[in-house]
Amino acid sequence: MLIIHSDKTRDRRTQTELCGGQLVAPFECPERVDYIIERARQEQLGEIRAPQSYDLAPVLAIHDRDYIEFLRGAWEQWKADGHEGEAIPNIWPSRRMPGRHLPRNIEARLGYYALAGETSINADSFTSALLSKDIALTALDHVLTSGESAFALCRPPGHHAAVDQFGGYCFINNVAVAAQRARDQGRQRVAILDIDFHHGNGTQDIFYTRNDVLTLSLHGDPMDEFPYFLGFAEETGESDGTGYNVNYPLPSGTDYATWSKHLEQAKARIRDFAPELLIIALGVDTFENDPISSFKLKSPDYLDIGRRIHELGLPTLFVMEGGYAVEEIGINAVNVLKGFDNA
């Protein structure tokens, strides 16, 4: 399997994450990619190729232009206003402050565009997000032109990034950018299957009123798990998109026997939709030892996940999302790809 990767994904190394009332070292760290690429090389998974560069047109096809311009200038404005730490949101337009006006102040702008307060912005955040989408688009173009599957080793991840919001370590929604480009390149129907522990709220937001992109997500119950306010089973789409958004919220402690039953349900929906392309939002934070998740999957289970996805018989793009048990993330991510390749 072709792997698209760049060592420059390591450049974004933020120092602070708000967690449990403390500023801690971020769980989303460069070492995540190091472990994956090292394991891929050990297993001789496939050729590793650098990404091509793409302009902003694929990004602006799904993201709000003002939001992208905010990301482009946020760090410079933060520093120009005299702040010495990393840019972390601390004020939001709440339920009784609807946010009809976007203030000039950078702290207010951060909160306006932020999903949550755990994701800090530094000097490398925007350029790293652009590189991440380049990785996804390069892998996608290989799938579209060759019919072969590919793995986009993206960092930062993307599935929490909505039309005009960042958070959950995500700035640009890589799977959504790829899905829209596939549509623009002539694919009539695209399915996105998100197997990250956390709900792909951004992906749902982007495609919620559309019937050309089927979105499915297996994730921790949002009554208990981030991002909390989206990802419930009754959220099935609106307008033309009614019936084209499918959520499988699962309780804390879910094991592979239960999880895989819901994967089979998702596969049945994908078969009925008959897409021309399948995009997997590949999170492996469903692992039993992941520090910010609560499912109980084990490393061998990821081989079976890959095998089950292969059974769909579709051109498949894997896009890296979450997974924070750093020492095991390489084993688990590569196991999915090995299971798929060897099926």
Side-chain angles (χ1 to χ4, degrees):
M1 180 179 296
L2 178 67
I3 303 166
I4 306 300
H5 164 68
S6 170
D7 286 338
K8 289 187 69 62
T9 59
R10 305 188 83 263
D11 288 354
R12 182 177 184 270
R13 182 183 285 276
T14 51
Q15 304 299 312
T16 48
E17 174 178 336
L18 182 60
C19 179
Q22 295 180 305
L23 289 176
V24 303
F27 292 100
E28 203 294 293
C29 58
E31 289 76 15
R32 299 172 62 247
V33 172
D34 294 344
Y35 278 100
I36 295 170
I37 203 68
E38 178 184 0
R39 183 70 175 185
R41 287 175 173 141
Q42 289 174 354
E43 296 291 330
Q44 299 182 326
L45 189 65
E47 177 190 354
I48 300 170
R49 189 181 300 173
Q52 302 172 14
S53 295
Y54 295 76
D55 61 22
L56 277 177
V59 175
L60 296 177
I62 59 153
H63 284 295
D64 175 74
R65 180 179 293 273
D66 288 343
Y67 164 67
I68 296 299
E69 289 305 313
F70 157 77
L71 290 178
R72 185 198 302 274
W75 177 251
E76 288 75 15
Q77 187 179 354
W78 178 261
K79 297 301 288 183
D81 279 10
H83 301 291
E84 295 186 4
E86 294 177 326
I88 303 175
N90 62 11
I91 180 70
W92 285 265
S94 70
R95 287 177 293 125
R96 298 196 179 278
M97 300 167 62
R100 296 187 180 94
H101 300 281
L102 176 56
R104 287 183 290 270
N105 181 276
I106 184 57
E107 291 180 280
R109 293 173 72 83
L110 279 166
Y112 181 85
Y113 286 116
L115 163 70
E118 80 297 302
T119 301
S120 56
I121 292 176
N122 70 359
D124 297 307
S125 292
F126 184 61
T127 55
S128 294
L130 293 178
L131 175 60
S132 194
K133 63 85 179 166
D134 286 344
I135 290 170
L137 290 174
T138 303
L140 170 76
D141 281 353
H142 174 79
V143 176
L144 295 183
T145 57
S146 71
E148 301 171 349
S149 297
F151 174 43
L153 184 47
C154 293
R155 180 181 181 266
H159 72 151
H160 292 306
V163 170
D164 60 355
Q165 278 190 315
F166 74 95
Y169 316 128
C170 303
F171 301 97
I172 292 173
N173 193 310
N174 301 311
V175 295
V177 169
Q180 182 60 50
R181 180 174 174 84
R183 288 285 293 110
D184 293 340
Q185 295 292 319
R187 302 312 190 267
Q188 296 301 305
R189 295 178 305 281
V190 178
I192 300 173
L193 174 60
D194 192 325
I195 60 173
D196 191 281
F197 172 79
H198 302 96
H199 175 245
N201 62 286
T203 310
Q204 174 172 311
D205 173 68
I206 290 165
F207 295 113
Y208 203 60
T209 61
R210 293 172 52 171
N211 60 14
D212 56 337
V213 179
L214 174 68
T215 54
L216 310 98
S217 180
L218 285 71
H219 52 267
D221 189 336
M223 288 297 290
D224 303 302
E225 305 290 354
F226 184 92
Y228 299 110
F229 302 105
L230 212 62
F232 296 92
E234 66 266 23
E235 297 160 6
T236 59
E238 292 178 353
S239 187
D240 290 345
T242 300
Y244 293 89
N245 186 82
V246 187
N247 288 322
Y248 300 94
L250 300 170
S252 176
T254 291
D255 62 10
Y256 186 60
T258 300
W259 190 93
S260 61
K261 289 178 182 176
H262 291 84
L263 175 61
E264 291 302 315
Q265 294 176 26
K267 287 169 58 182
R269 296 293 294 270
I270 292 169
R271 289 191 182 99
D272 290 343
F273 182 63
E276 297 162 75
L277 173 71
L278 175 62
I279 301 176
I280 303 295
L282 179 56
V284 292
D285 43 0
T286 48
F287 182 58
E288 60 183 344
N289 294 330
D290 193 276
I292 55 174
S293 308
S294 64
F295 285 176
K296 299 301 179 184
L297 275 64
K298 303 178 184 300
S299 291
D301 297 332
Y302 295 96
L303 287 165
D304 190 57
I305 291 172
R307 287 192 290 266
R308 289 172 185 258
I309 292 171
H310 186 273
E311 289 172 351
L312 288 165
L314 293 167
T316 303
L317 170 64
F318 293 89
V319 179
M320 194 66 208
E321 296 287 353
Y324 309 101
V326 173
E327 293 184 3
E328 294 90 358
I329 187 175
I331 296 170
N332 298 337
V334 171
N335 273 1
V336 174
L337 305 174
K338 283 176 55 183
F340 182 91
D341 267 354
N342 297 332

